[in-house]
Structure formats: structure tokens, C-alpha cells
Amino acid sequence: MSLAARRDGGSRPRRWLAFVCLGAALLVAPARAAEPAFSPAEELERCRQRFLQHPEERDAAMCFYQRAQQTEGRDEVRRMLVALREEHPDQPWLMMVQGHVELLSASKEAEEPYARAMETFHRLGDAEGEVLAGINLRTVVRKQGRLEEGRALARRVGEVARRSGLPDLLARALVIEGTDLSEVGHDLGRAFRLLKRAEELAFPAGSDGLKKQCLSALAWVAFRLGRLEDATDANQRLAELARSTGDPRLGARVSFTLANLAVHRLARSPAPNGQAQVLELARRALADAERTRDQVLETQSLRLIVDLLGDTPGERVEAEGYMERCMELAESMDSAEQRIACLWTRAERRASTDAEAARRDSDAAVWLAYEHGDPLYLALALRGRGTVAYRTEPTREALHHATRALDGVEALREFQRDAATQAELFAGWASDYHRLAGWTLEASQPEGDAEPLPVREALERAFAVSERLRARTLLDALLASSAVDPAAPEAPDRRQAREALWKQLAAVQRRLMDPTLAARPREEALRELRELERGERDLRPAPSHGATAFTSLEEVERGLAEDEAMLVFLVGHDRDAFGTPSGGAWVLVVTREGSYAHRIPERSRLATAVSLFSGLVERRDGSEAGAAAALHAQLLGPALAGLPPTVRRLLLVPDGPLHDLPFAALREHPGGPPLVSRFELGLVPSASLWRHWREEPRLGPGGEAFILADPAPPEREAWAMATVRAGVFTEAARLGALPEARREGRAIARVLEDTRVAPRLFMGPQASEAALKRADLSRARVLHVAAHAVVDAEAPERSALVLTPGAEEEDGILQPREIAELRLGGALVVLSSCRSASGAVLPGEGVLSLARAFFESGSRAVVASLWPLRDDEAASLVERFYAHLARGWSASAALRAAQLEAIEDGLPAAAWAGLVVLGDAALAPIEPTSRAGTTRATHAPWLVVAATASVLVSLLALGRRRADKS
């Protein structure tokens, strides 16, 4: 049921995933003061008299709807409304209320009065009435499966609301448009942005009903996007509204949703006794649903409890009873969605006791989902079928069904109209990929008498699953770029609109960087910034869909050099929140001679260990040595032991918490040399991207190096000097000068003068955003930026390199959307800035860092930092790096040599281990004037050999001193 009225209201769910979703808005009449008791006939006559006195008033018409709430007497109300409409054919509120009353019994008959009301309001110029009638008419036609008509009505409602200029109406229209986009178009990113606009209009002055609609829709879309924090916040605010307005049905819905969110948080981060705590929340949700007689919520709560119950005899009996009740409710409601969900839940529960019944239920759920046509329910049903197959069927059949589930996920991904939303949505399903890859590898060494999967086949299958997970939006973007697959140019009007928005964004951000800006203007500027950011996202070109260029295990083996190995990490959980085996964590080792896999600790253990290790590194006192050895043993010990003796470069494909791990500082023994003393290291987002970069044409001879050092406006010369290359967004304009960065820039320019790459040095005010954007980067072989960086993990697209503006239309904040427009032709990018390789980690996609943005601009390799750099240490390390790069060495070889020299000088790991090579570690962008220095570092360059020997001697001596002291 869905009703719309002019003032107060609430909302009623249409569906909530396996779980909850706002359908359309349910708005109820304002509360009435207590009145003397009258018979139903007398009350109805009072309504008639009130209407005859004030036929144009909305409240007079709504009196009939209040009388129709009880089934008894509803027919009398209906007859009276029909009669009054004949006498007053031009009263749209009477038509609206007739639609409300018809909707209480059968939605089909509500269509005519709603449609007439909408047209009459339009003729009278009553935008508010037209919007509310349109909202209700949309609900009726959608319930009849006429989805395109529903979408057309949503668009019309939006147009009317925008023309009216009324914030309340616009907010309602945005809620409807957002709901339509999420439920019918399945475009969650745009839906979320529309609902955030609605939220800003609804709060704080909107009615309680409008706030409920907005927050309900927002909570649902945030949940589907995997934004659990946003969903939790919206539901907590809904809980407060439920209390303040005395709305028990809303309170029951919030109770269930918070329990459901707790399950998903538990799945991300398992905790001791977490399942029991969430089960208690689910039982409370069921009690609330039963108390309010909300059958949808009751069904959902029953399934949540069934999922959380254990496997004792008593819990099995309880679960079976709940599932029987779940199916009864689904059938009585004639809800395809609830039947599908109850079937897959019962199937998973029965898998351990009645395999045939479990398969029958899960097959039925899949077929119903196909018929229903909702890609979300299909993906969930396919996931359930895969789980049942894993527990009840032979290996090959089980893997087949689990792979079909991934097809369902990727179909859902393709509905998203922007790359960021694709990645965000995909992240919520990353555990499905970890699970299947782990199940596949486990199948090569099964327990019991199950037929094993051949090891080679298991490796190939698991590798293929891993590639389907990794950095998909980045791979899609590169494959669709002009360098690989020329596409039609962006429409000029759309491009002009985007450029206009960029200028507006820069203007707002300039205001925000004013340290004297007061609190209220700052909040207004932030609100404007959020709106502009949403608009800019809406104008971006649609992403490429369905990348098929995933590389195979065999192709990687053939493409690796004899001295290279690729280590692919898959870091999942051993078991999920419901106790189902989740594949665990693995490292796949790929070499030219063959491949193999080893178990590693599961995600939660590694996350703790990596965090501890990083904290010890920050202490700069060598106390991390023991943790470094422990992590080496857990992650690399067996993997490295099986490597061919020719391997000198490791290409690491990290996952989960390993994105933040400085692999270079790991060591086999606490007193032994670090990993970088034995190997060059490179970090790769995926094997498919590595292959893409390796197959790019070699860089041509000559070219230029663009060097930006210590960007600063002239007036900043008097400021205090900064010791760390770090900063925060709101203080970007106050960051101190970096004099060592200027020395670094000059030193790099001097080194490059002896090569075939011409240096172009920009320092201070000349190191500007405008200069970089105007430069012809087609001949760039190197782009070096020594500057402050701002990393915003909450809003990655606000992260930036802090440059001089250089023009009125610029703000000096070079952000990812602008970096992607630079069009680098395979150049090496060196970001001598704080945390330029770090940022928010999105499961599957990886780190949303500044470094990643340069790959979108066309770079093949980026050297960047995992943590803040000290100005003097960064300058020294980078100068050494360029000294070796100028010999014609690869990026990884040059960095390794520089790090070994830093170790020889006695510098702590914090000074050198955070700088990493991302992308194509073999890229050698600089051609020296003399070929004498071009030998690769891994092919016995005497400097590196000597440095390595010196490091080993120093470590042995340190070990002796420690032994003597003990």
C-alpha cells in the first residue's frame, strides 16, 4: 500500500533485500484531537457535512480516508465518495482520497481516481497536489508490473517539483526518483546521490513523514552499496523518529534493519561471541514484527534467525519450525521475493541433513528469481545454490554452481552507470570470489574420500576467479581508453558542462582553504561542494562494461621473465558469520617454470599482524624485526622456498590488509637482511593489468621529464618550513614550505642532464596546477612531483596533490578526476609525497589512492609512498633512485639500489621501506647518453652487489653486538 498526502506521513516497505527495501511512500493523515464517540454512520455523515462546507480543503476530504481505515463500513465510504464525485467532479482532493480508499482493498481500482486527480491538479496549477497524486499513481502502476509507466511518472513528478521551487516537493520527488533508480534501474550510485540531495532538503525543516521516506530509502540504497556506516546512521535516525512520532511499525522495521546490518558487519570483521549477540538482535526484531503484525518483517526476521542458529538438535528443530512459518507467510502474501528468499534460506539450512530437499529448494529459488526478473534476487539465489552445491554435490558440479553465482554478481555490476559505484557495489560481493577461489584450491586436497581436483586445474580455476575480482574498474577504464580501444569522443555539450563544474568546484575549494572562513559559511561551502561533486559524478562518461581481457595463468607464466615471479594473494576468512567455510587465505606463486599455492593466515589475523608491524616500524628503533620475521614466515616462507634460483624480482598482487604492508622490510630472521636485499619488488593491482602494461609499446627515445618541486605561492616564502610531507584538506593552504624538495628537484634535473631525457624543472610558484594541465605530456617519460599530498580515506576523490594554482580558475588541489585527464603516454610517475600510495581500501578494487589515478591518466608505473615522508629523508632516497634510474635501470631495480644504500647508511625502515613501485616494475623510462650504465640491477651491477654485501656485513656485526650484550 502507498498513499501520499500533503503534510505528515510515514513510510512502508515494499521489500528489503533478503532484507529490506523501501517501495513507495506511505503518508498518513495528521493526528486528530480527541472527539466524542459517534456511530460509524454518524461519523461518515460528519465527514460529508465537513466536505460540503469546505470542498476545496484537503483535510475535509481526508476525513473519509480516516473513516475507511476499518474494513467494516469501508463500502459505505466508497459509495459516498462515488456520489460526491458526481456532484463535485472538479475537486481533486476528493479524487485523491477515493484512490487512497480503493488502495486499501485493491490497488487496480485506485488508478482512475489518482490519474484524474493528477490531471486536475495540473490544470489548476497545484504543483503540490500533482506531485502527491503522481507518487501514488506510480505505486499503483508499478504494482501491476508496468515499470516503464512508473518510471515516466517518476520523471514527470520530478519535473513538476523542480519547476515549483518548493524544497518539500523537490525532496519528495527526489526520493521517488532515487527509489525508482534503485529498484527498477538498479543504478545505485545515482540513486544514492539523489537521495543525499533529498536528505539536505528534508533536514532539518521537513515534515516527519518526509524525513521517514528519505531516510528509509537512503538506508536501503546505502546498504546495497555496502556503505554500512551510512546505512546504520540512517537507521539510527529513523529509530529516533519512530520514538518521537510514536510509530511502532517504523520502529519494528528499524529493529530488523539494525540486526541485519550487525550480521554484515560481523561478516566483515568476525568477533568472539558475535554470532550470539546478533542472534539476540534478530529475536528482538522478530518480536517487534509480530507485535506490529508486519508480515514482511516477520518473514525477514525468521530467516535471519534461521541463518544464525547453530547445529544442535534443539536449534535444528527451532529452525525447521521457523522455516515452515516463513514459507506460510510468503505464500499468504503472494510475494515472489519472500518465496525466493525463504527457499534459498531453507535450502542452505537443509543442506547438512537432507541434500535432495536442499537442492530442490535452491533450484526452485533460482527459477523463481529468473521469472521475477530482479537481478539482485537472482544473484542471491545463485549464491545460495552454490552454497548448497558445495555441501551436497561432487566437486565439479559444486564449482559450476558457485561460478554461476559470480555471473549473477557481475550482471548486477553492469547496471551501475558510473565506475565508482561499480567498484563500491562489487566490493560487497568480494567474499564470494575469495570463497570460490579457496574452495577450488581446497578441492585439490579434499578431506575424506572425495575425488580430488587435479592440482593444475585447481590453480587455473582459482587464478581465473582471482582475476575476475581484481581492479575491475581500472582494467575497464584502461581497455576503453583511446590508447587501447578508441571510442567516440565525449559529446561537446556534456564536456562543456563537466568543465564548467570543475571551475565551480575549484572556486568552492578555494573558499574552503581560507583559514579565516567562519563556521557557518564553511558549512554552506561544504554543502555546495557536495552538490557539485554529485553533479560532476552524474556527468561522467558511462563506464565500459564486461571486460573480457582477463589474463590466464598460462599467459602469465609465458609472459614472466626467467628472473621474475608473481605472488598473488587471496586474503579471505576461514568461515563467514554463519559458520560456512569461506575459502580461507592463500598465496599463488607463478613463475615461468610453473605455479603452486600455499595457505596463509586468514584475513582477521593478518589485519592485526600488519597493523602491529606498521606501528612498530613507525617507532624507528628496529623493534619491528621480530614482527617482520613472523610475517615473512606466514606470508612468504613456503612461497619463496619453492622459487627457481634465477628469480630476482617479485611482482606482488596484494589483497585486503596486505595493501598497507611494506614488503621490503620483511625478513627471514629477526637479525637477517630485509627482503629487498634479495629481490626487486613491485606491486601490481592484477595480473591482467600487469599483462596490459607489459604489452604496451616500448617508450620511444628521448622525451622529457617534468619535475614539480615544492609548489608554493610567492607569499608563502616567509612561512615556517615543514619537516614532513603531509597535510589535511582543510589546512592545505597552510602547509609549510619543503626546502629539501627544491634540492631534490635540482638534483634530479642535474642527473637527467646526462641522459637523453630533457628535464623541465618547475619550482615554487612555477610548480602549478595550471602549468601541469597546459603542458604537452605526450613526450613525457617521467613526471616527478615533490609536494604535499592530502589523503582523505572517507572521500577518496577529495584526495589531492597540493600545487600552486597558477591561474584564477584553479585551486591548487590536483584531485583524481583531474589527474585522470592528464593523458600520460606510459610515463613513469614519481610522487615524492606523503601517503600517495595509500588511501581507502575497497575489497576487490584495491587502494583508491592518488597513485591509482595516474594509471587512469596513462602511466605504466608509479613510485609512491605508503606513509608520511620526512622531507630530508625523502629527498635523499629519491635522489639515489634517480641516480640509478639514469643508468637505464628499471624502476624496481633503481628503487632497490636506493633502498640498499639507505640501509647501509643505518637509516630505519621507516625512512626507506614505504616507497614502493606500483604497476610495471620493469619500466625503464630513461635512456642514458652512454650505454655503459644500462645493465639491469638484477644482472649483477657492481654497485648493488657491493651495497648488498655491505648490508649483510653490517647486519652480521649488529647481530654479534646484540649477542655480546646478551
Side-chain angles (χ1 to χ4, degrees), residues 321-342:
Y322 283 158
M323 288 315 307
E324 184 177 347
R325 175 63 178 157
C326 183
M327 294 302 304
E328 289 174 355
L329 287 169
E331 294 294 338
S332 69
M333 291 185 289
D334 193 25
S335 167
E337 294 155 352
Q338 298 310 318
R339 283 201 301 272
I340 294 165
C342 289

Side-chain angles (χ1 to χ4, degrees), residues 196-250:
K196 291 299 287 185
R197 291 187 181 113
E199 180 188 25
E200 293 188 350
L201 292 168
F203 288 86
S207 68
D208 288 338
L210 176 58
K211 291 174 182 177
K212 291 174 185 179
Q213 293 175 65
C214 180
L215 290 175
S216 295
L218 189 59
W220 159 242
V221 174
F223 172 75
R224 280 191 62 185
L225 277 172
R227 297 188 172 193
L228 302 190
E229 292 76 16
D230 286 329
T232 300
D233 174 69
N235 277 287
Q236 288 172 342
R237 292 159 70 191
L238 278 170
E240 179 55 38
L241 275 170
R243 285 191 291 270
S244 64
T245 61
D247 188 341
R249 292 178 67 85
L250 177 60

Side-chain angles (χ1 to χ4, degrees), residues 478 693 824-829 851 854-862 923:
L478 295 187
W693 288 316
L824 294 165
L828 171 69
V829 174
F854 280 98
F855 288 127
E856 291 190 53
S857 72
S859 174
R860 283 170 53 183
V862 180
L923 181 66

Side-chain angles (χ1 to χ4, degrees), residues 328-413:
E328 289 174 355
L329 287 169
E331 294 294 338
S332 69
M333 291 185 289
D334 193 25
S335 167
E337 294 155 352
Q338 298 310 318
R339 283 201 301 272
I340 294 165
C342 289
L343 281 168
W344 86 56
T345 304
R346 187 169 70 178
E348 291 183 18
R349 187 75 200 186
R350 286 178 167 178
S352 59
T353 58
D354 189 341
E356 184 177 350
R359 288 193 293 270
R360 191 165 54 246
D361 278 350
S362 58
D363 283 336
V366 170
W367 282 113
L368 273 174
Y370 273 118
E371 291 177 0
H372 184 52
D374 188 316
L376 174 60
Y377 276 81
L378 179 58
L380 290 164
L382 288 170
R383 172 197 275 173
R385 183 66 182 92
T387 301
V388 169
Y390 172 73
R391 294 177 179 176
T392 67
E393 298 183 42
T395 298
R396 291 185 184 280
E397 286 81 354
L399 296 181
H400 165 72
H401 285 291
T403 303
R404 285 178 67 206
L406 301 191
D407 296 337
V409 172
E410 291 172 21
L412 192 60
R413 173 184 182 267

Side-chain angles (χ1 to χ4, degrees), residues 3-10 22 24-28 58 127-129 131-133 135-136 138 154 157-158 161-162 166-180 194-195 197-199 201-202 206-214 217:
L3 308 178
R6 181 174 273 186
R7 298 190 183 119
D8 270 348
L22 175 74
L26 171 64
L27 303 181
V28 300
R58 169 256 185 196
E128 190 171 10
V131 165
L132 297 176
I135 290 173
N136 286 290
R138 168 187 169 274
V157 162
R162 278 184 279 274
L166 298 173
D168 183 83
L169 280 193
L170 181 55
R172 292 183 191 277
L174 288 170
V175 170
I176 293 301
E177 289 184 76
T179 303
D180 190 81
L194 288 174
L195 292 169
R197 291 187 181 113
E199 180 188 25
L201 292 168
S207 68
D208 288 338
L210 176 58
K211 291 174 182 177
K212 291 174 185 179
Q213 293 175 65
C214 180

Side-chain angles (χ1 to χ4, degrees), residues 416-464:
Q416 311 314 309
R417 300 297 299 165
D418 66 275
T421 305
Q422 283 187 340
E424 215 170 353
L425 174 74
F426 206 53
W429 298 82
S431 59
D432 291 60
Y433 291 77
H434 287 123
R435 182 176 68 167
L436 178 54
W439 286 357
T440 304
L441 292 169
E442 289 170 344
S444 65
Q445 296 178 328
E447 297 179 359
D449 57 358
E451 181 182 354
L453 194 69
V455 172
R456 178 65 187 184
E457 182 181 351
L459 288 168
E460 289 175 342
R461 283 174 171 262
F463 185 86

